[in-house]
Amino acid sequence: MNNRSERAMDFWRRVSMRALQGLLRLAVWRRYAGLGHIPRHGGVIIVANHVSKVDSLVLAGFVGAAGRWPRFLAKAPLFDVPLLGRFLLTMRQIPVNRGAADAGDALVVAAEAVRAGDVVVFYPEGGTPKPWESTPPKGKTGAARLRLSTGAPVVPVASWGPQHILDPATGRFRLRLRTRVTVLAGPPLRISQEDDVRAIIEEIMRALRHLAREAEEGKSLRT
């Protein structure tokens, strides 16, 4: 990519983030804590809980407020939607073919992004909550494998409130202006077993469950 293309992409990313921040200010009452836990420079792996299909917008705004640009792993079919797919590619989001033979290609792209100094976002839960699920999910291992391959810091982030806008169980959309939304980031995880993928993801899931309880209860973290 030449310098002119990079400048154009940076311009559109700034415009998109400003538009998103304006939308969030209008639509929700935001409570952010822990922004300082997201490093201002260098590759970062963010792991987040997934309470609703709209929490990606809230999380993107949170990462933007920390001065970083988030790159999400998104379902590949979204990139086939006219205009939306082009926008996602322009914004440097990463398509993933879940369950396909080439699903691992997304992790290769994610590793390249982290090594280049980008922020890559994972939802280790793999999806939004299902009404019939009575136990917490074990967690998908993508973020743990990325940690093993890059050594980048892993920052847990939990949100609470987006599910009141778009209910994951019913799919019902209820946008009430100034809906309360809380987003908390914890400090980068201290991984105790660096060579064990399953142990790493278990540490990640424990941290996310703890943060999610704090977000739900309205507790604050030091920023």
Side-chain angles (χ1 to χ4, degrees), residues 37 39 41-46 114 120 147 150-155 188-189:
H37 292 311
H41 305 285
V44 181
I45 302 166
I46 286 182
V114 168
V120 175
R147 162 70 184 200
T150 65
V154 178
V155 178
L189 298 179

Side-chain angles (χ1 to χ4, degrees), residues 68-128:
R68 302 301 302 269
W69 178 260
R71 296 185 67 180
F72 290 83
L73 275 74
K75 295 179 180 179
L78 292 174
F79 292 79
D80 296 328
V81 178
L83 298 181
L84 174 61
R86 185 177 181 84
F87 174 77
L88 291 174
L89 288 173
T90 300
M91 297 297 104
R92 302 181 68 199
Q93 305 310 303
I94 303 170
V96 55
N97 288 300
R98 295 180 180 176
D102 60 350
D105 292 350
L107 198 59
V108 173
V109 176
E112 292 173 348
V114 168
R115 293 190 185 102
D118 291 344
V119 174
V120 175
V121 181
F122 279 83
Y123 289 113
E125 293 167 333
T128 54

Side-chain angles (χ1 to χ4, degrees), residues 9-27:
M9 186 165 59
D10 287 342
F11 170 78
W12 287 113
R13 283 194 292 178
R14 288 195 299 271
V15 169
S16 299
M17 184 58 71
R18 287 173 182 169
L20 174 61
Q21 299 291 12
L23 175 64
L24 291 174
R25 279 193 293 271
L26 175 66

Side-chain angles (χ1 to χ4, degrees), residues 129-138 209:
K130 306 297 188 298
W132 58 85
E133 291 178 342
S134 58
T135 58
K138 291 184 177 179
R209 286 192 290 269

